[in-house]
Amino acid sequence: MSKIPKNGPRSTDPDLHFRTDHIEADLKGRSIRSGAITLVAQVAKFILRTASTIILARLLTPLDYGLLGMVTVVVGFLDQFRDLGLSLATIQRSEVNHRQVSTLFWINLGISAVLMVVTWLLAPGLAWFYQEPRLTRITIFLGMGFIFGGLSVQHQALLRRQMRFGALAAIEITSMLVSVGVALIAAQYGAGYWSLVILQLIQVIVTAVGVWVLCGWRPGSPVRNAGVRSMLAFGGNFTGFSMVNYLARNFDNVIIGWRLGAGPLGLYAKAYQLLLLPIEQISLPLRNVAIPTLCRLQNEPERYRSYYHKAILVMVTLGMPIIAFCFITADNLIVTLLGSQWTEAVPIFQVLSVAAFLGTFNMAAGWAFISFGRTDRQFHWSIISSSITVLSFVIGIRWGTIGVAAGYSISRVILQVPGLVYAYKDSPLRLRDLAITLSRPTVASIGAGWLLFMINSLVFSGIKGAILLLINCVLYGLFYLGLWLILPNGRQILLEILQLSKELRPPQQRN
């Protein structure tokens, strides 16, 4: 492989979009800087998404969200086939070329066109199943998004492969700004559930335009013998996992909508969304940075282990306290942010918090499966775990939305450790090391939550409102930080995390 010129890759280089040797030369620095860029962008997206969620929740009703939830379960399931895992295959492979990526592009686009037509054909049946005629047009409009999604799969994969997270962040923020702006205007003028449809459709369109503009790569004609068979096998196993996992994770929405109707589904879906909203702002960008880096380190066990546990530590250090805080302040949090019409979502929110707390390190198994190219084992495990998850929903529906939420949380408790043991088999990772990584943020998060609960019970009993929410946030932060510092080696580890900021400077500025 030829070397990259000192001043960077030239635009005339035919392999410009596929090479990674210049990245591997400074993998640690690029990884940390990419993480910083992504984190800053994610903060902006979190603020925007939270603000839009609050405003839309006040302009719309649980019924509006329930109608969209009935459709997005089906559209989201079909969306698992659009990618076919081929974006991860492009990222995971140590070497790819123009012919391979072009062939994968046309496969993704062709499948997306088929999925759009399938969605349109399913629309009347979906309306019949839920006995809700409004679902037909909603399904048809959301199905149009498949084409634009198919146009952007490989471009996004190339940007991630090259660790161009600044470009990805710009695209994501722009698409959110445009789609949220239009949706808010539509909701203000009485569009109801159509404002949610508009939000999703415009976001995927703007994203497709953005990746084509900023990536710069243009696909060639598909080639029969492009050498993509192994990539299709990798992607096929990952798609199998995604499909089974998606069905299990969304069967709760199906069974609630079918048995209880759009109103209860809207309450359940909003509780689930609000709980996962802050966690997704951390986990998704971290995943996008961690997986390309871990794939480059798969043949260096010591460096792999070090990076893996540091990435997990960042996730749980930020994620666990958020979930614990949300659990303790749930009644005040939901009413203050969304309004009194969402009060019934509070107990659902709290029961789901158990699953969300464990979910802060769900990626631990997935990262291992993907980075070592073992998506076949990931698929096999998903069949077992998904069966148990679906069974928990079937049993839980007897007690309504609370029963479904409880079933999901219990299934996470049962499956977490066996899933990690299976993922770590024949790898350099050990469960004991992960337990050590998780111990401090777990103890600090739960301890700070207990202290806040006691303060609220003794001092702020019966008081609610935005001011109390702000006071609780400050107190919890102080409790959490204090517990981190007094735990064994807590101060040292916290300083190590803070010292990583020095790596954010460009390489030529370091000593």
Side-chain angles (χ1 to χ4, degrees), residues 26-43 160 163-166 169 281-293 307 311 314 318 500-501 503-504:
D26 183 32
L27 187 58
K28 180 180 178 181
R30 281 180 176 270
S31 175
I32 295 175
R33 290 193 297 276
S34 296
I37 291 171
T38 309
L39 183 60
V40 171
Q42 207 66 17
V43 170
R160 290 193 174 96
M163 300 188 79
R164 292 181 57 190
F165 293 102
Q281 310 315 303
I282 306 169
S283 64
L284 291 180
L286 191 59
R287 174 185 184 272
N288 291 337
V289 174
I291 287 181
T293 304
Y307 183 88
V314 170
L318 297 173
L500 291 177
S501 61
E503 300 286 347
L504 303 181

Side-chain angles (χ1 to χ4, degrees), residues 195-210:
S195 59
L196 300 174
V197 176
I198 290 169
L199 189 151
Q200 292 198 19
L201 193 55
I202 290 183
Q203 187 165 4
V204 71
I205 293 173
V206 175
T207 297
V209 173

